[in-house]
Amino acid sequence: MSQRREISEDGRELLFDHGAPYFTVTNPDVLSVVTEWESRGLVAEWKSNFGSFDCFTNKFVNTEHQERESKKYVGVPGMNSICKALCHEPGVDSKFNMGIGKFEWLEHENLWSLIGLDGQHLGHFKGVVASDKNIASPRFTAITGQPPPLDLSLAPELVKLHDIPIDPCFALMLGFNEPLSLVPANGLSFTNSKVLSRAHCESSKPGRSSTSERWVLHSTTEYAKDVIAQSGLEKPSKETLSKVGNEMLQEFLGTGLTIPQPFFMKAHRWGSAFPATSIAKEEKCVWSEKKKLAICGDFCLSPNVEGAILSGLAAASKLKGLIGTL
């Protein structure tokens, strides 16, 4: 649920929800949380027309603005507004730009000791919640060159966290001077495309600036895997991102409509975009009661925002149940 701030060559500020474009809700517990966020102005329904483009027939399908079974919600003024608000809830002391390099369990004190990526001691804690699926994964080492922060041998429940499979994605952020008036929907999924999976018009969302037309394109998992297989897990080079951006843009232009050249274009690798499995469907989070450690996220239940919220609620419930012993 991240938002990217970019500055164009002519000095314009451009904001992109380059991760999840929106989310839907089916669970009543999540709906009550989202309704409360909506009352605070943190989210709004994105009422627009959505459809699909078949790259085989070169035709748009299902692009009517119609009553849909589930509402599409977005954060206002950006998808990150919800997380920002949670960080400033009463009683929350937020620390930013602080990566955790190691979780150490102090057996005699019954406490967690957290060590920063720079080796700095960050304090002792009675309980820990973490939401990073790479916290105990070899992928962490492949990217950073350091051991994963969490040792799986600390608790038997943690074995589920070993090397959770993920589906990567590339996001392409585009800025246009004029509306793409010939594209009949503000949200599109693509079928029969090896490159694109979906496209969304950022500037059509509620609470967004409309001074320019902004779109985000997402690649297919297969395309992203092919690029990463060739370029490796390290931070992609400018050349790689430029090539990805051009290939994704060409596929978008291939809709056959008159789409102008963008004044802004930037590709981003979303390496751990979607978990390819659910590791705690019943429990909804990974929980070690003895060590007061909860691991939650979309990888526990379902690979979407609603799954992450449900998993977070489950982790909170586990810790709240122990509140008297902390």
Side-chain angles (χ1 to χ4, degrees):
M1 298 186 73
S2 54
Q3 187 180 66
R4 194 72 167 259
R5 177 180 179 268
E6 299 286 350
I7 303 295
S8 64
E9 288 185 358
D10 58 2
R12 278 184 274 183
E13 180 185 67
L14 304 170
L15 298 175
F16 298 94
D17 294 330
H18 63 308
Y22 61 83
F23 66 97
T24 57
V25 177
T26 58
N27 181 280
D29 292 335
V30 177
L31 184 59
S32 66
V33 173
V34 172
T35 301
E36 193 259 334
W37 288 343
E38 195 171 17
S39 70
R40 294 166 58 187
L42 298 176
V43 303
E45 183 185 356
W46 185 16
K47 299 176 181 178
S48 193
N49 50 333
F50 300 85
S52 179
F53 182 79
D54 189 328
C55 292
F56 180 72
T57 61
N58 264 27
K59 289 183 179 180
F60 288 97
V61 292
N62 302 326
T63 53
E64 296 298 317
H65 189 142
Q66 55 190 353
E67 288 297 318
R68 294 167 294 279
E69 288 184 10
S70 55
K71 296 180 179 179
K72 292 176 171 61
Y73 292 98
V74 296
V76 178
M79 285 297 279
N80 61 353
S81 64
I82 297 166
C83 296
K84 279 184 175 181
L86 291 173
C87 287
H88 295 97
E89 291 285 327
V92 176
D93 180 15
S94 298
K95 308 285 186 184
F96 300 98
N97 299 316
M98 192 175 287
I100 305 299
K102 190 173 185 181
F103 294 76
E104 285 188 344
W105 175 248
L106 307 177
E107 190 71 43
H108 296 298
E109 291 91 340
N110 219 28
L111 293 171
W112 285 100
S113 173
L114 299 191
I115 312 297
L117 284 169
D118 57 1
Q120 180 185 354
H121 176 66
L122 301 175
H124 292 163
F125 302 89
K126 294 178 180 178
V128 170
V129 181
S131 61
D132 184 352
K133 56 182 161 286
N134 294 318
I135 194 171
S137 170
R139 180 182 171 82
F140 184 90
T141 304
I143 294 172
T144 67
Q146 298 189 40
L150 186 62
D151 184 349
L152 291 177
S153 66
L154 286 172
E157 299 89 351
L158 301 180
V159 69
K160 296 177 181 179
L161 293 166
H162 179 70
D163 209 12
I164 298 169
I166 55 95
D167 289 333
C169 174
F170 279 93
L172 180 63
M173 298 167 278
L174 298 170
F176 298 92
N177 283 315
E178 299 171 5
L180 305 190
S181 53
L182 292 178
V183 179
N186 286 319
L188 286 172
S189 60
F190 290 87
T191 57
N192 296 313
S193 172
K194 293 181 179 180
V195 179
L196 292 182
S197 63
R198 57 187 179 182
H200 296 92
C201 179
E202 288 294 306
S203 39
S204 70
K205 295 178 180 179
R208 270 56 169 183
S209 165
S210 56
T211 54
S212 63
E213 176 111 344
R214 299 176 309 285
W215 283 75
V216 172
L217 314 184
H218 281 175
S219 76
T220 61
T221 296
E222 292 70 29
Y223 174 82
K225 283 182 175 178
D226 286 344
V227 173
I228 293 171
Q230 296 172 39
S231 61
L233 283 173
E234 296 78 19
K235 184 178 179 180
S237 65
K238 287 184 178 179
E239 292 75 20
T240 296
L241 290 176
S242 177
K243 181 174 181 290
V244 166
N246 283 321
E247 289 176 352
M248 291 177 68
L249 177 61
Q250 287 309 310
E251 189 80 353
F252 192 43
L253 297 175
T255 53
L257 298 176
T258 306
I259 297 175
Q261 284 296 318
F263 70 84
F264 177 86
M265 181 173 81
K266 189 171 185 178
H268 168 77
R269 186 182 74 185
W270 190 7
S272 295
F274 309 105
T277 189
S278 301
I279 65 171
K281 282 190 173 181
E282 296 298 322
E283 309 90 337
K284 300 178 184 175
C285 68
V286 178
W287 169 243
S288 170
E289 184 171 347
K290 182 182 176 184
K291 293 187 167 61
K292 302 176 181 67
L293 171 68
I295 312 291
C296 58
D298 58 358
F299 52 92
C300 289
L301 196 57
S302 57
N304 49 41
V305 173
E306 182 175 39
I309 294 172
L310 271 174
S311 183
L313 289 172
S317 177
K318 295 290 188 184
L319 279 169
K320 282 173 71 178
L322 292 178
I323 211 79
T325 65
L326 289 178

